[in-house]
Amino acid sequence: AQSVSQHNHHVILSEAASLELGCNYSYGGTVNLFWYVQYPGQHLQLLLKYFSGDPLVKGIKGFEAEFIKSKFSFNLRKPSVQWSDTAEYFCAVNALGGYNKLIFGAGTRLAVHP
Amino acid sequence: DTAVSQTPKYLVTQMGNDKSIKCEQNLGHDTMYWYKQDSKKFLKIMFSYNNKELIINETVPNRFSPKSPDKAHLNLHINSLELGDSAVYFCASSPTGLALNEQFFGPGTRLTVL
């Protein structure tokens, strides 16, 4: 069965620190990959997505992610975080061969201190 | 303009009651979904309808019954509510459920069963 692993469950950073959140998936075929963000009390918003092409994907608010097929990874990065980045971050994958079903990781809670 | 809307935003009810959550999308999408986010923030798909036809039905108790009167609406009816049904329920839509593409999420409905 397809699964998504997010290794960091809770990350605490100071403002201006660099961020990298890990995401690995288990599926050998063609996949679409997503990072969603959920700010406190709000709904899911798409940060960025990878469908094909350049494996380095740039999203909103200065976030980027790199798809490394050989490692089944899609890590999220931001060079300098802000207090407003405090949120829950979800990696998700859907896989060719099935319906458009998103499989989510367990999420990473990021707390940024001023 | 709200793309994917859900009502109500909050729902507090007693065990054993029957309740419904409504979802509407104005994006012209063919496919709609219901996801459940539990108290640990874990997101899991429940159902998906493509053009009013059920295409994804995960292992969900029979007490949950989705209904799609048209492709712009997907409602979730829950019978005999239990404490464990307390969660945030997210509706989503996508252009199609028959191929891989992005999903757009609604604001969520926080259900609390007392």
Side-chain angles (χ1 to χ4, degrees), chain A residues 4 30-32 34 36 38 40-46 49 51 88 90 94-107 109, chain B residues 9-10 33 35 37 39-45 48 55-56 58 88 90 94 96-108 110:
Chain A
V4 178
T30 302
V31 293
N32 288 356
F34 305 84
Y36 283 88
Q38 187 177 26
Q42 296 190 26
H43 63 102
L44 289 160
Q45 299 175 41
L46 183 69
K49 63 188 177 188
F51 281 15
E88 192 95 21
F90 294 94
N94 59 13
L96 190 65
Y99 292 118
N100 191 34
K101 177 172 75 173
L102 279 174
I103 307 296
F104 283 89
R109 179 166 295 182
Chain B
K9 189 170 183 179
Y10 299 97
Y33 311 79
Y35 288 83
Q37 185 176 45
S39 58
K40 295 184 179 179
K41 300 284 190 179
F42 187 64
L43 273 154
K44 193 172 191 312
I45 190 165
S48 177
I55 58 170
I56 297 174
E58 295 293 292
V88 181
F90 286 99
S94 69
T96 177
L98 306 179
L100 304 186
N101 49 94
E102 181 183 343
Q103 295 182 23
F104 297 79
F105 284 81
R110 183 175 294 275

Side-chain angles (χ1 to χ4, degrees), chain B residues 3-107:
Chain B
V4 183
S5 59
Q6 296 178 228
T7 54
K9 189 170 183 179
Y10 299 97
L11 183 54
V12 182
T13 188
Q14 300 285 335
M15 275 176 55
N17 284 350
D18 303 337
K19 290 293 178 185
S20 292
I21 307 171
K22 296 186 176 183
C23 179
E24 177 181 358
Q25 56 95 4
N26 62 6
L27 297 166
H29 289 167
D30 282 350
T31 307
M32 297 182 72
Y33 311 79
W34 278 111
Y35 288 83
K36 178 180 179 181
Q37 185 176 45
D38 63 23
S39 58
K40 295 184 179 179
K41 300 284 190 179
F42 187 64
L43 273 154
K44 193 172 191 312
I45 190 165
M46 301 172 70
F47 302 103
S48 177
Y49 271 75
N50 184 71
N51 269 324
K52 302 192 296 176
E53 180 185 348
L54 184 66
I55 58 170
I56 297 174
N57 186 357
E58 295 293 292
T59 307
V60 177
N62 290 338
R63 299 182 295 102
F64 290 78
S65 54
K67 286 197 171 39
S68 182
D70 55 63
K71 69 178 190 178
H73 296 85
L74 179 61
N75 304 325
L76 183 64
H77 188 76
I78 315 171
N79 289 327
S80 303
L81 278 156
E82 299 177 357
L83 293 176
D85 298 332
S86 294
V88 181
Y89 293 84
F90 286 99
C91 178
S93 73
S94 69
T96 177
L98 306 179
L100 304 186
N101 49 94
E102 181 183 343
Q103 295 182 23
F104 297 79
F105 284 81

Side-chain angles (χ1 to χ4, degrees), chain A residues 84-98:
Chain A
S84 57
D85 292 324
T86 295
E88 192 95 21
Y89 291 81
F90 294 94
C91 181
V93 60
N94 59 13
L96 190 65

